[in-house]
Amino acid sequence: MKKISLIVLSSGRGSNFQALIDWVKNESPPVEIKALITDNPNAQSIQRAKEADIDAEVVSYKEFEKKEKFHQEIFERIEKYEPDLIILAGYMRILRGEELFKRYQNRILNIHPSLLPQFKGSTNAQKDAFEAGLKVSGLTIHYVTENVDGGKIIYQEKVDISGCKDELEVAETILKREHLAYKGVIGRLAHEILKTK
Ligand code: GAR
Protein backbone atom coordinates (compact mmCIF):
# COMPACT_ATOMS: atom_id res chain seq x y z
CA MET A 1 0.00 0.00 0.00
CA LYS A 2 1.28 3.47 -0.92
CA LYS A 3 1.56 5.75 2.07
CA ILE A 4 2.23 9.37 2.84
CA SER A 5 4.87 10.28 5.40
CA LEU A 6 4.42 12.55 8.38
CA ILE A 7 6.70 14.36 10.77
CA VAL A 8 5.09 15.39 14.05
CA LEU A 9 6.29 18.40 16.03
CA SER A 10 5.33 18.38 19.71
CA SER A 11 6.69 20.30 22.70
CA GLY A 12 5.21 18.48 25.65
CA ARG A 13 2.62 15.94 26.69
CA GLY A 14 2.00 14.70 23.17
CA SER A 15 -1.50 13.28 23.54
CA ASN A 16 -2.32 14.33 19.96
CA PHE A 17 0.86 12.61 18.81
CA GLN A 18 -0.19 9.49 20.72
CA ALA A 19 -3.64 9.60 19.11
CA LEU A 20 -1.93 9.61 15.70
CA ILE A 21 0.37 6.74 16.69
CA ASP A 22 -2.64 4.69 17.83
CA TRP A 23 -4.57 5.56 14.68
CA VAL A 24 -1.74 4.40 12.40
CA LYS A 25 -1.29 1.23 14.43
CA ASN A 26 -4.93 0.26 14.83
CA GLU A 27 -6.65 1.56 11.71
CA SER A 28 -3.88 1.19 9.13
CA PRO A 29 -4.49 4.42 7.22
CA PRO A 30 -2.14 5.07 4.26
CA VAL A 31 0.08 7.05 6.59
CA GLU A 32 3.49 6.52 8.13
CA ILE A 33 4.88 8.60 11.00
CA LYS A 34 8.56 9.04 10.23
CA ALA A 35 9.69 11.02 13.23
CA LEU A 36 8.90 13.23 16.16
CA ILE A 37 10.73 16.53 16.37
CA THR A 38 10.68 18.38 19.66
CA ASP A 39 12.19 21.59 21.01
CA ASN A 40 11.99 20.27 24.56
CA PRO A 41 14.32 17.54 25.88
CA ASN A 42 11.82 16.78 28.65
CA ALA A 43 8.80 16.35 26.39
CA GLN A 44 6.65 13.34 27.22
CA SER A 45 6.24 12.86 23.49
CA ILE A 46 9.84 11.56 23.30
CA GLN A 47 8.89 8.55 25.39
CA ARG A 48 5.79 8.03 23.26
CA ALA A 49 7.97 8.00 20.14
CA LYS A 50 10.38 5.50 21.67
CA GLU A 51 7.58 3.16 22.67
CA ALA A 52 6.20 3.28 19.14
CA ASP A 53 9.65 2.79 17.60
CA ILE A 54 9.56 6.20 15.90
CA ASP A 55 12.68 8.39 15.59
CA ALA A 56 12.76 11.22 18.12
CA GLU A 57 14.77 14.28 17.16
CA VAL A 58 15.45 16.68 20.01
CA VAL A 59 16.44 20.23 19.12
CA SER A 60 16.62 21.97 22.47
CA TYR A 61 15.54 25.59 22.06
CA LYS A 62 17.47 26.68 25.14
CA GLU A 63 20.77 25.52 23.72
CA PHE A 64 20.67 27.93 20.80
CA GLU A 65 21.99 31.39 21.51
CA LYS A 66 21.15 32.53 18.00
CA LYS A 67 17.50 31.66 17.44
CA GLU A 68 17.87 31.66 13.64
CA LYS A 69 20.20 28.69 14.13
CA PHE A 70 17.48 26.86 16.06
CA HIS A 71 14.98 27.42 13.27
CA GLN A 72 17.54 26.32 10.69
CA GLU A 73 18.23 23.16 12.68
CA ILE A 74 14.51 22.35 12.87
CA PHE A 75 14.31 22.79 9.10
CA GLU A 76 17.28 20.50 8.52
CA ARG A 77 15.87 17.78 10.76
CA ILE A 78 12.58 17.96 8.86
CA GLU A 79 14.41 17.82 5.53
CA LYS A 80 16.16 14.60 6.54
CA TYR A 81 12.82 12.83 6.25
CA GLU A 82 11.36 14.67 3.24
CA PRO A 83 7.86 14.34 4.68
CA ASP A 84 4.64 14.76 2.74
CA LEU A 85 3.10 16.57 5.70
CA ILE A 86 4.46 18.32 8.77
CA ILE A 87 2.03 18.02 11.67
CA LEU A 88 2.18 20.51 14.51
CA ALA A 89 0.57 18.93 17.55
CA GLY A 90 1.11 20.98 20.67
CA TYR A 91 4.26 22.54 19.24
CA MET A 92 4.50 25.66 21.34
CA ARG A 93 7.02 27.61 19.27
CA ILE A 94 6.44 29.72 16.24
CA LEU A 95 7.72 28.01 13.13
CA ARG A 96 10.09 30.23 11.17
CA GLY A 97 12.10 30.11 7.97
CA GLU A 98 11.50 31.38 4.48
CA GLU A 99 12.89 28.23 2.91
CA LEU A 100 10.67 26.00 5.05
CA PHE A 101 7.48 27.79 4.09
CA LYS A 102 8.44 27.87 0.44
CA ARG A 103 9.29 24.19 0.29
CA TYR A 104 6.34 22.97 2.36
CA GLN A 105 3.61 25.31 1.20
CA ASN A 106 0.19 23.85 2.08
CA ARG A 107 1.90 20.89 3.69
CA ILE A 108 2.26 22.12 7.27
CA LEU A 109 -0.75 21.69 9.56
CA ASN A 110 -1.50 22.94 13.05
CA ILE A 111 -4.27 22.25 15.51
CA HIS A 112 -5.37 25.12 17.72
CA PRO A 113 -7.79 24.76 20.65
CA SER A 114 -10.18 27.56 19.72
CA LEU A 115 -12.41 28.65 16.90
CA LEU A 116 -9.87 30.81 15.09
CA PRO A 117 -9.58 33.74 14.68
CA GLN A 118 -10.76 33.75 18.28
CA PHE A 119 -7.72 33.59 20.61
CA LYS A 120 -5.35 33.69 17.68
CA GLY A 121 -1.72 33.41 18.80
CA SER A 122 -2.70 32.41 22.32
CA THR A 123 -0.68 29.74 24.13
CA ASN A 124 -3.61 29.04 26.45
CA ALA A 125 -6.75 29.44 24.40
CA GLN A 126 -8.66 27.08 26.70
CA LYS A 127 -8.04 29.39 29.69
CA ASP A 128 -8.98 32.37 27.55
CA ALA A 129 -12.27 30.68 26.65
CA PHE A 130 -13.03 29.80 30.27
CA GLU A 131 -12.22 33.28 31.53
CA ALA A 132 -14.32 34.85 28.80
CA GLY A 133 -17.24 32.76 30.10
CA LEU A 134 -17.84 31.12 26.71
CA LYS A 135 -20.41 28.37 26.47
CA VAL A 136 -19.04 27.19 23.16
CA SER A 137 -15.43 27.09 22.06
CA GLY A 138 -13.81 24.59 19.71
CA LEU A 139 -10.85 23.62 17.65
CA THR A 140 -9.33 24.63 14.36
CA ILE A 141 -7.03 22.74 12.01
CA HIS A 142 -5.29 25.06 9.58
CA TYR A 143 -2.35 25.38 7.26
CA VAL A 144 0.67 27.01 8.85
CA THR A 145 2.09 30.14 7.26
CA GLU A 146 4.32 32.94 8.48
CA ASN A 147 1.17 34.60 9.78
CA VAL A 148 0.79 32.90 13.19
CA ASP A 149 -2.52 30.96 13.43
CA GLY A 150 -3.57 32.83 10.30
CA GLY A 151 -3.19 30.24 7.52
CA LYS A 152 -6.15 28.85 5.58
CA ILE A 153 -8.60 26.95 7.77
CA ILE A 154 -9.13 23.33 6.80
CA TYR A 155 -11.53 22.25 9.52
CA GLN A 156 -13.32 23.72 12.52
CA GLU A 157 -15.48 22.12 15.13
CA LYS A 158 -17.54 23.69 17.88
CA VAL A 159 -17.27 22.17 21.35
CA ASP A 160 -19.80 22.75 24.14
CA ILE A 161 -17.87 23.85 27.23
CA SER A 162 -20.84 25.19 29.17
CA GLY A 163 -20.59 22.44 31.81
CA CYS A 164 -16.84 22.88 32.45
CA LYS A 165 -15.94 23.98 35.96
CA ASP A 166 -12.41 25.18 35.20
CA GLU A 167 -9.94 25.73 32.37
CA LEU A 168 -8.51 22.23 32.77
CA GLU A 169 -11.89 20.73 32.07
CA VAL A 170 -12.23 23.00 29.05
CA ALA A 171 -8.85 21.80 27.77
CA GLU A 172 -9.73 18.16 28.38
CA THR A 173 -13.11 18.49 26.66
CA ILE A 174 -11.62 20.11 23.57
CA LEU A 175 -8.66 17.71 23.53
CA LYS A 176 -10.93 14.67 23.16
CA ARG A 177 -12.35 16.21 19.99
CA GLU A 178 -8.86 17.18 18.75
CA HIS A 179 -7.76 13.55 18.83
CA LEU A 180 -10.61 12.54 16.54
CA ALA A 181 -10.51 15.58 14.30
CA TYR A 182 -6.80 15.50 13.50
CA LYS A 183 -6.77 11.93 12.24
CA GLY A 184 -9.89 12.62 10.18
CA VAL A 185 -8.32 15.60 8.44
CA ILE A 186 -4.94 13.92 7.93
CA GLY A 187 -6.64 10.82 6.57
CA ARG A 188 -8.58 12.86 4.02
CA LEU A 189 -5.46 14.77 2.96
CA ALA A 190 -3.50 11.52 2.69
CA HIS A 191 -5.98 10.19 0.12
CA GLU A 192 -5.77 13.45 -1.85
CA ILE A 193 -1.97 13.46 -1.81
CA LEU A 194 -1.81 9.81 -2.89
CA LYS A 195 -3.90 10.58 -5.98
CA THR A 196 -1.09 12.87 -7.14
CA LYS A 197 1.78 10.46 -6.39
C1 GAR B 1 -3.51 20.80 22.42
O1 GAR B 1 -4.70 21.19 23.05
C2 GAR B 1 -3.23 21.69 21.22
O2 GAR B 1 -4.36 22.07 20.52
C3 GAR B 1 -2.59 22.89 21.89
O3 GAR B 1 -1.77 22.34 22.87
C4 GAR B 1 -2.31 21.10 23.32
C5 GAR B 1 -1.25 20.05 23.21
O4 GAR B 1 -1.64 18.87 23.82
N1 GAR B 1 -1.87 23.67 20.94
C6 GAR B 1 -1.77 24.98 21.03
O5 GAR B 1 -2.26 25.64 21.92
C7 GAR B 1 -0.97 25.63 19.90
N2 GAR B 1 -1.07 27.04 19.98
P1 GAR B 1 -0.84 17.52 23.54
O6 GAR B 1 0.64 17.84 23.73
O7 GAR B 1 -1.33 16.57 24.59
O8 GAR B 1 -1.14 17.07 22.16
Side-chain angles (χ1 to χ4, degrees):
M1 180 174 55
K2 268 197 190 172
K3 291 183 182 183
I4 66 152
S5 59
L6 307 184
I7 294 288
V8 178
L9 270 67
S10 156
S11 299
R13 177 181 53 194
S15 73
N16 272 294
F17 175 44
Q18 186 68 53
L20 295 177
I21 292 172
D22 296 343
W23 172 53
V24 170
K25 188 170 161 222
N26 301 327
E27 297 177 48
S28 309
V31 167
E32 184 184 359
I33 306 174
K34 290 271 189 183
L36 163 82
I37 299 181
T38 184
D39 57 317
N40 171 13
N42 301 314
Q44 201 186 327
S45 42
I46 298 171
Q47 191 55 33
R48 297 183 190 276
K50 284 194 180 138
E51 279 164 18
D53 208 13
I54 292 171
D55 284 1
E57 304 268 351
V58 182
V59 184
S60 176
Y61 184 75
K62 287 192 192 136
E63 280 172 23
F64 288 79
E65 234 168 81
K66 291 217 167 81
K67 295 312 173 195
E68 309 81 64
K69 288 250 163 69
F70 166 79
H71 295 295
Q72 182 60 30
E73 184 65 28
I74 291 280
F75 177 60
E76 282 169 20
R77 300 286 180 110
I78 291 171
E79 278 292 83
K80 240 173 80 177
Y81 296 94
E82 299 186 334
D84 291 303
L85 292 176
I86 301 167
I87 304 299
L88 272 51
Y91 183 66
M92 303 312 273
R93 301 234 170 253
I94 292 169
L95 213 53
R96 294 202 192 284
E98 222 175 282
E99 222 181 330
L100 173 76
F101 288 113
K102 211 193 259 169
R103 176 142 160 67
Y104 291 97
Q105 200 185 16
N106 287 338
R107 290 203 282 144
I108 313 175
L109 269 60
N110 181 41
I111 190 160
H112 189 76
S114 78
L115 293 171
L116 286 171
Q118 198 165 40
F119 311 129
K120 183 178 170 190
S122 172
T123 52
N124 200 340
Q126 305 96 327
K127 181 169 183 252
D128 298 341
F130 183 73
E131 286 178 353
L134 298 189
K135 292 194 167 27
V136 174
S137 185
L139 63 96
T140 303
I141 297 169
H142 62 94
Y143 288 113
V144 177
T145 64
E146 270 144 329
N147 176 6
V148 177
D149 292 337
K152 186 172 163 237
I153 291 172
I154 306 169
Y155 177 84
Q156 277 191 313
E157 186 177 322
K158 287 183 185 161
V159 179
D160 180 357
I161 56 163
S162 59
C164 296
K165 62 178 183 317
D166 55 29
E167 65 195 65
L168 288 178
E169 211 177 320
V170 171
E172 195 56 38
T173 306
I174 296 174
L175 195 62
K176 283 192 192 130
R177 305 305 308 173
E178 290 183 37
H179 294 165
L180 297 172
Y182 226 177
K183 65 178 184 177
V185 166
I186 296 167
R188 282 196 292 281
L189 286 178
H191 287 289
E192 276 172 35
I193 294 168
L194 284 174
K195 279 186 210 155
T196 66
K197 275 203 176 216

